Amino acid sequence: MELFSDDFTDGNALAGPLREIFAVDMTTATGRCAGCGDEGPVAGMKVYAHAPGLVARCPSCQQVLMRLVRGPSSAWLDLRGTMSLRIPMPAE
Amino acid sequence: MGGIVSPGFRGRRGVEGGEVRLPPGQYLTEDFPVLTAGPTLRVPTDTWEFVIVTETGEKHRWDWQQLMALPSERPTVDLHCVTKWSKLHTSWQGVSLDVLLEGVDTAADYAMVHSYGGYTTNLPYEDLLHGQAWIAYKFDGEDLTPEHGGPARLLVPHLYLWKSAKWVRGITLTDEDTPGFWESAGYHDYGDPWREQRYQGD
Ligand SMILES: [Zn+2]
């Protein structure tokens, strides 16, 4: 298999949809890939938006890190490809 | 073989009072939008294979030449995407799953479809039978392009288009239903456009 085309945007495309769910800006959170272990900001994920939902993939290994589906009365966030998310918080 | 209309559509679609009837919530489009959950891959036909694995682990394998040697059909079908566009009277060529499953000994109730690139989608085994599903390799008389899932994709037009997996590589038959890529992230397990089964709970 070789790459034919790759129509993605960066993780900043997740800012609005995630702001609907979380009280903080999630694009500056650091995610760790459950596939390859690489760490990086949510804003650096590869986001495929021409799909039934938003699909965010690891820029290193293509593993699906996040699936976000917005229905009329629910949002589904599937994070099984993300081992952890470190979310910057205001100092207490 | 001539044009075949999916039996699921007969009597439910068509022109009524000059209006084309669409499933609820859908709008008509003339172009063919490309939706994808990842990079578009070019899968060469010389290494392509399609494998059906039964619930007992028995494998049935076809390479590209073997697929081409099977009798094909030219279904004309309507496509309904869960993102609300519908495209009518699309022309395909492919091998019916009835042909591929003919020699497969199974009592499975469910099927999980696998694609090159890792995509999956689930459906009841019955929905692959009776002229409802094809491994399609031509669209509009031309080889299916990678953007639209070539060299071959599943075509199950009686369900929302996310079930018609692009870059199809195999089907695993199972006793239990397991949700696929979108079915595990909020989309409906079955996805009948005429009952508007978009999301879980619809
Ligand atoms: Zn990774």
Side-chain angles (χ1 to χ4, degrees), chain B residues 27 46 57 61 85 99 111 130 154 172:
Chain B
Y27 67 86
D46 55 352
R61 195 184 301 264
W85 57 264
V99 171
H130 320 302
L154 181 67
T172 304

Side-chain angles (χ1 to χ4, degrees), chain A residues 2 4-5 50 52 57 69 80, chain B residues 36-37 40 42 181 184-185 187:
Chain A
E2 60 184 88
F4 180 79
S5 63
H50 303 294
R57 289 178 181 266
V69 170
R80 81 185 77 174
Chain B
T36 178
T40 297
R42 187 194 294 277
F181 186 91
S184 61
Y187 279 100

Side-chain angles (χ1 to χ4, degrees), chain B residues 86-141:
Chain B
S86 289
K87 183 174 173 62
L88 303 183
H89 313 305
T90 60
S91 306
W92 300 80
Q93 185 178 343
V95 176
S96 169
L97 261 296
D98 291 309
V99 171
L100 293 162
L101 290 165
E102 205 169 48
V104 175
D105 183 24
T106 179
D109 290 323
Y110 298 98
M112 180 68 89
V113 184
H114 301 268
S115 295
Y116 288 93
Y119 183 77
T120 56
T121 186
N122 59 301
L123 69 169
Y125 178 67
E126 271 292 303
D127 286 75
L128 293 173
L129 302 175
H130 320 302
Q132 296 185 96
W134 297 266
I135 300 299
Y137 50 81
K138 278 183 188 278
F139 171 72
D140 252 350

Side-chain angles (χ1 to χ4, degrees), chain B:
Chain B
M1 267 175 253
I4 294 168
V5 175
S6 172
F9 287 134
R10 208 165 285 143
R12 287 199 290 181
R13 179 184 56 75
V15 178
E16 286 173 22
E19 297 269 315
V20 175
R21 217 183 122 205
L22 288 174
Q26 297 293 109
Y27 67 86
L28 261 185
T29 183
E30 293 299 324
D31 55 4
F32 195 166
V34 172
L35 271 72
T36 178
T40 297
L41 304 167
R42 187 194 294 277
V43 185
T45 53
D46 55 352
T47 54
W48 183 90
E49 62 170 14
F50 179 72
V51 183
I52 294 177
V53 184
T54 70
E55 71 276 25
T56 61
E58 194 178 278
K59 286 185 179 167
H60 300 259
R61 195 184 301 264
W62 292 265
D63 65 20
W64 189 257
Q65 285 189 332
Q66 289 167 326
L67 184 80
M68 292 301 111
L70 292 172
S72 68
E73 295 179 357
R74 294 169 194 269
T76 296
V77 298
D78 300 339
L79 306 178
H80 306 295
C81 181
V82 74
T83 61
K84 302 201 168 176
W85 57 264
S86 289
K87 183 174 173 62
L88 303 183
H89 313 305
T90 60
S91 306
W92 300 80
Q93 185 178 343
V95 176
S96 169
L97 261 296
D98 291 309
V99 171
L100 293 162
L101 290 165
E102 205 169 48
V104 175
D105 183 24
T106 179
D109 290 323
Y110 298 98
M112 180 68 89
V113 184
H114 301 268
S115 295
Y116 288 93
Y119 183 77
T120 56
T121 186
N122 59 301
L123 69 169
Y125 178 67
E126 271 292 303
D127 286 75
L128 293 173
L129 302 175
H130 320 302
Q132 296 185 96
W134 297 266
I135 300 299
Y137 50 81
K138 278 183 188 278
F139 171 72
D140 252 350
E142 306 283 344
D143 289 346
L144 193 57
T145 59
E147 294 98 320
H148 290 301
R153 75 182 294 168
L154 181 67
L155 180 65
V156 272
H158 69 290
L159 301 176
Y160 281 124
L161 197 56
W162 90 75
K163 299 279 186 181
S164 293
K166 296 175 173 187
W167 314 299
V168 69
R169 105 181 275 176
I171 298 177
T172 304
L173 305 177
T174 55
D175 295 325
E176 313 236 322
D177 193 21
T178 312
F181 186 91
W182 287 121
E183 294 85 356
S184 61
Y187 279 100
H188 197 276
D189 196 59
Y190 185 64
D192 180 351
W194 295 95
R195 286 185 278 167
E196 205 168 4
Q197 294 172 334
R198 297 181 197 276
Y199 301 100
Q200 287 169 21
D202 282 354

